[in-house]
Amino acid sequence: MSSIAAKVGGSKTTLWTYFPSKQDLFAAVVDDLVERYGRALDVELDPDTDVAKSLRLMGRALLETIHSQPIIDLHRLTIGEAGRFPELARLFYERAPARGKTRLAHYIREAMARGKLRTGDAADAGRMFVGMLQAGSIQHHLLGLAGKPGPKALERELDAALDAFMRAWGP
């Protein structure tokens, strides 16, 4: 808290007034980053439109989000501290990935009900799609082995994930 107060130009007392605990401060940071960079949460998922088109828009936004440097840094921080502070990992998951996965599962459930996707567990299908999106370059980026891939590379990753998803879950 001392280093934060020094950096932002306030006092520890002021910080403790706004954030009674380090968890509250971390939650505020996560909420701010999700608000600013969580583009995947803003993509309209209309069950009346083409499923592949909607999933492409959401997938592209998700790849852009998870490859943005502030989100990479947040993932690194969360993973690095998860062993000592599992409550921070849980807080991060609930405020960011879980929100997106819940939203995606709801959309997939609607698409299944309308016959646009094969019937099954919508949450499993959503996790599968997100997992395939995250199976490519994200690990290299998180580990610092590579930077953010270019648009063409991200589009190839998206194409592969979407193709596999539609083969598995298409009507």
Side-chain angles (χ1 to χ4, degrees), residues 105-121:
H106 176 75
Y107 168 75
I108 289 172
R109 192 173 298 109
E110 287 291 319
M112 288 174 172
R114 294 170 190 227
K116 294 183 174 198
L117 291 174
R118 185 173 59 78
T119 302
D121 186 307

Side-chain angles (χ1 to χ4, degrees), residues 101-156:
K101 289 177 183 178
T102 298
R103 186 169 176 265
L104 181 58
H106 176 75
Y107 168 75
I108 289 172
R109 192 173 298 109
E110 287 291 319
M112 288 174 172
R114 294 170 190 227
K116 294 183 174 198
L117 291 174
R118 185 173 59 78
T119 302
D121 186 307
D124 282 348
R127 281 189 297 272
M128 186 181 296
F129 182 61
V130 170
M132 288 186 287
L133 286 169
Q134 294 176 334
S137 58
I138 189 64
Q139 188 174 36
H140 282 92
H141 194 177
L142 278 170
L143 294 173
L145 301 174
K148 178 181 177 181
K152 287 181 181 177
L154 288 177
E155 203 63 29
R156 281 192 304 273

Side-chain angles (χ1 to χ4, degrees), residues 48-164:
D48 289 324
T49 62
D50 179 66
V51 172
K53 181 179 178 183
S54 291
L55 289 177
R56 176 173 295 285
L57 291 172
M58 196 286 295
R60 186 176 293 121
L62 179 61
L63 286 172
E64 286 294 324
T65 296
I66 62 176
H67 277 290
S68 67
Q69 197 57 51
I71 300 300
I72 288 287
D73 293 342
L74 180 61
H75 273 94
R76 288 173 177 162
L77 173 68
T78 303
I79 291 167
E81 296 298 330
R84 292 185 318 144
F85 303 106
E87 66 278 3
L88 294 183
R90 188 173 21 265
L91 190 148
F92 165 74
Y93 184 79
E94 289 169 357
R95 288 176 123 73
R99 285 177 54 203
K101 289 177 183 178
T102 298
R103 186 169 176 265
L104 181 58
H106 176 75
Y107 168 75
I108 289 172
R109 192 173 298 109
E110 287 291 319
M112 288 174 172
R114 294 170 190 227
K116 294 183 174 198
L117 291 174
R118 185 173 59 78
T119 302
D121 186 307
D124 282 348
R127 281 189 297 272
M128 186 181 296
F129 182 61
V130 170
M132 288 186 287
L133 286 169
Q134 294 176 334
S137 58
I138 189 64
Q139 188 174 36
H140 282 92
H141 194 177
L142 278 170
L143 294 173
L145 301 174
K148 178 181 177 181
K152 287 181 181 177
L154 288 177
E155 203 63 29
R156 281 192 304 273
E157 289 182 22
L158 176 56
D159 288 344
L162 188 55
D163 180 61

Side-chain angles (χ1 to χ4, degrees), residues 4-53:
I4 294 170
K7 189 164 191 149
V8 297
S11 70
K12 283 191 340 183
T13 304
T14 303
L15 277 176
W16 286 116
T17 301
Y18 287 107
F19 308 105
S21 72
K22 290 179 184 176
Q23 266 185 274
D24 292 330
L25 177 60
F26 184 73
V29 169
V30 170
D31 290 344
D32 180 63
L33 289 173
V34 168
E35 178 71 27
R36 288 195 285 155
Y37 298 97
R39 291 182 279 282
L41 293 173
D42 295 331
V43 172
E44 184 167 345
L45 296 172
D46 181 357
D48 289 324
T49 62
D50 179 66
V51 172
K53 181 179 178 183

